[in-house]
Every structure is written in structure tokens, then in C-alpha cells.
Amino acid sequence: MNSVFEHWGVLTSVVAGAVAVLLYFVRNWRVVEELKANCTANQQKAEALTLRVDEYHVSAVAREEKLRLEMSKQAEAIRTEALQQRTEIRKEMLELVMKLSEKLTHIDKTLALVDERTKTLSDFTKDQQKRNEWADRILARLDDR
């Protein structure tokens, strides 16, 4: 036992060093445990945020698809309406062309009739001029006698 008292200072230093090392490891162990808890909490928050982002992304994709379908329906409706209007305009144009053709046919007939009557009148005028000349000759002969 004497040897223990002789080396009391060294023994105390070793025990104090061991206690210090033990306290250092206990403190660091607590810090490590706190870091593990924080890391776990952060991972849970990250997973929750990832789920939220995924939900927002799925929602945005669904909205985009819905809008795309709606726009294609609107485009199809506009296209259909334009085709109907084009068909109606073609019908109206066809009717107008038919009416115009009828009027032109009537005008052609009228012009042919006017031409025919002009020729007839011209022929009658020539015949009348010949008769007038013949009558003038006869009258001139009678006056000469």
C-alpha cells in the first residue's frame, strides 16, 4: 500500500485524466446523439417537403393536362364553327352566283331580242327609205308630166 501512497500524484493524475477523457466522450456522445436527432428531424422534414413538392407537381401536371384538353376542345369548337361558317358562305355564294347567272341569262335574252328588233327596225327603215325613194321618183315623174 505504501507504493500506492508513494505514487499518489501519478495515480491521481491518471484517474483525473481517465475521468476527463470519460467526461469528454460522454459530452461528445450527447452532442452526437443531438446531431443524430437533428439529422433525423431534418430527414423527416425533407421527406415531408419532397412529398409536398411531388403533390404540387402532380397537381400542376393534372392542371396542365386539364387546360390542354380544354384548349383543344375550344380549338375544335372554333374549327367546327369556322367550317360551318365557310359552308354557309359557300352556299350563299352559290345562290348569288346562280341568281347572277339567271340575271345574266335574262340580260342576254333581252340583248338578243333588242338586237333582233334593231335588225328588224333597220330592215324596215331601209325598206321604208326605198319606198320613199320610189314614191319620190313617182311623184317627180308625175310633176314632170
Side-chain angles (χ1 to χ4, degrees):
M1 241 337 173
N2 242 352
S3 73
V4 171
F5 287 119
E6 286 177 13
H7 299 294
W8 177 252
V10 172
L11 185 63
T12 309
S13 292
V14 169
V15 171
V19 168
V21 167
L22 182 65
L23 285 175
Y24 175 77
F25 281 118
V26 168
R27 251 190 244 144
N28 283 338
W29 178 72
R30 287 181 182 163
V31 170
V32 167
E33 289 300 318
E34 285 178 14
L35 287 174
K36 284 182 183 177
N38 284 339
C39 185
T40 305
N42 285 339
Q43 282 180 342
Q44 289 174 349
K45 286 179 184 177
E47 288 174 3
L49 287 175
T50 302
L51 287 175
R52 243 182 177 176
V53 167
D54 286 345
E55 288 174 2
Y56 287 143
H57 178 70
V58 168
S59 174
V61 167
R63 278 194 308 263
E64 182 183 358
E65 184 63 27
K66 182 181 175 183
L67 287 173
R68 186 177 293 130
L69 286 173
E70 190 175 309
M71 292 301 290
S72 67
K73 284 181 183 178
Q74 287 179 354
E76 186 63 32
I78 290 171
R79 194 175 301 119
T80 303
E81 183 180 339
L83 286 173
Q84 287 175 348
Q85 287 178 353
R86 192 171 98 191
T87 303
E88 289 175 7
I89 288 173
R90 281 187 176 175
K91 284 181 184 178
E92 289 177 10
M93 287 176 57
L94 183 62
E95 289 174 6
L96 291 173
V97 167
M98 294 301 289
K99 286 180 182 178
L100 184 62
S101 295
E102 288 175 9
K103 287 184 179 184
L104 286 175
T105 303
H106 180 70
I107 289 172
D108 284 343
K109 287 180 182 178
T110 304
L111 284 175
L113 183 63
V114 166
D115 189 41
E116 182 184 325
R117 288 191 179 165
T118 304
K119 285 180 183 177
T120 305
L121 186 59
S122 180
D123 289 343
F124 284 140
T125 304
K126 288 178 184 176
D127 288 343
Q128 186 63 42
Q129 282 179 347
K130 287 180 184 177
R131 283 188 214 126
N132 286 344
E133 289 173 5
W134 183 71
D136 284 341
R137 277 188 251 145
I138 292 175
L139 287 175
R141 282 185 194 166
L142 288 176
D143 283 339
D144 287 338
R145 286 190 188 172

